[in-house]
């Protein structure tokens, strides 16, 4: 975990969703967690992003939708002893 006084680094990532190229901008911590989430589910990161994108009720900001999905996953994993590592 980064110290509170260290700024979060935002990076652009190019992904292909259903044959269409797009880019997302995420903080490193969210990208790391997204990769862990994909690994845990046995999915490629692009497949997970496509799933998150498809689950949006109203198409909107994909980067924000990813952050919300990662946060939900992290909070759910924290409360589920079967998904904790260590």
């Amino acid at each position: 975990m980064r110290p509170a006084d260290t700024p979060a680094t935002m990076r652009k990532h190019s992904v292909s969703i259903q044959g269409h190229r797009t880019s997302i901008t995420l903080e490193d911590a969210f990208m790391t967690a997204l990769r862990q989430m994909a690994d845990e589910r046995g999915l490629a990161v692009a497949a997970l992003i496509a799933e998150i994108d498809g689950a949006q009720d109203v198409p909107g900001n994909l980067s924000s939708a990813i952050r919300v999905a990662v946060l939900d996953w992290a909070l759910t994993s924290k409360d589920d002893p079967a998904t904790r590592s260590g």
Side-chain angles (χ1 to χ4, degrees):
M1 179 155 277
R2 69 179 181 81
D5 61 346
T6 303
T9 302
M10 301 277 289
R11 297 186 200 275
K12 281 194 175 269
H13 303 271
S14 294
V15 294
S16 183
I17 300 173
Q18 299 175 348
H20 300 283
R21 299 287 292 169
T22 190
S23 66
I24 56 172
T25 304
L26 292 174
E27 296 82 358
D28 290 341
F30 278 101
M31 193 65 201
T32 298
L34 182 66
R35 288 184 183 115
Q36 291 172 347
M37 185 179 172
D39 285 346
E40 184 179 286
R41 297 193 49 207
L43 295 172
V45 172
L48 179 56
I49 291 171
E51 185 179 293
I52 293 167
D53 186 43
Q56 294 188 83
D57 292 333
V58 177
N61 185 306
L62 180 56
S63 297
S64 292
I66 290 169
R67 286 185 194 93
V68 170
V70 167
L71 179 61
D72 183 55
W73 167 80
L75 292 173
T76 301
S77 295
K78 179 181 144 277
D79 293 336
D80 184 357
T83 61
R84 284 190 209 142
S85 58

